[in-house]
Amino acid sequence: MLRFGPFPISATEIFYSTRLTFGLVNLKPVTPGHVLVIPRRVVPRFADLTQSEATDLILSAQRIGAVVEREYAGQSLTITIQDGPMAGQTVPHVHIHIMPRRKGDWANNDDIYAEIDRKEADLGSALSEGAPRVDAEEERVARTREEMSHEASQLRPFFSSISEEMGGADIWK
Ligand code: AMP
């Protein structure tokens, strides 16, 4: 079972995997196609990654970014890491945010960073079975497992050959 920080992750919400990295659809995307690229090993900081993990993570972000930009009709990508809690990281496990961008999607282009940075106040209860999937602070409803699984199943075919080559296809078999 893979984990994202303290949270066990369902294989149905993963759309990409290699021996060292996985791609996860987002519980609370800030743009259509906002996904996360995550090392399999649970470590909090970017500098904690080995050279192989860091390389695989970045190459995975390149591949995933190209696909989500195309599939969500983006024109650019915002790619970001909040590396530690003082930088806005809420889940203590390295992750790269990839967000397709379009002209005019935010009136002030950089407002997306404030949106990413909002506190995930009630993430724990949003994730537990049967609990209301609502963020208490933002009143932003988290997506259902069905919505997340559906998106992952739509993205997965774009990566199946890479996942097999890179030794990661075992996750959802
Ligand atoms: P950060 O604030 O940089 O740590 O980002 C955490 C990101 O993880 C946010 O975009 C959340 O919506 C997302 N997130 C948190 N828990 C989960 C989860 N279990 N599955 C998918 N996405 C999650």
Side-chain angles (χ1 to χ4, degrees), residues 4 25-28 36 82 88-91 95 97 123 127:
F4 179 32
V25 297
N26 203 313
L27 181 64
K28 293 182 172 185
L36 302 172
Q82 308 209 91
Q89 184 188 50
T90 55
V91 179
H95 49 285
H97 295 258
L123 211 47
L127 289 163

Side-chain angles (χ1 to χ4, degrees), residues 1-10 22 24 27 42 90-93 120 122-128 145:
M1 165 77 72
L2 286 176
R3 302 185 78 80
F4 179 32
F7 308 116
I9 293 301
S10 164
F22 64 101
L24 179 67
L27 181 64
V42 181
T90 55
V91 179
H93 182 171
E120 305 291 353
D122 200 21
L123 211 47
S125 69
L127 289 163
S128 64
R145 295 215 179 283

Side-chain angles (χ1 to χ4, degrees), residues 142-163:
R143 298 200 294 173
T144 63
R145 295 215 179 283
E146 289 69 31
E147 285 171 299
M148 293 171 73
S149 300
H150 178 68
E151 185 180 32
S153 68
Q154 289 194 314
L155 287 173
R156 209 172 288 139
F158 297 115
F159 302 106
S160 53
S161 60
I162 294 170
S163 293

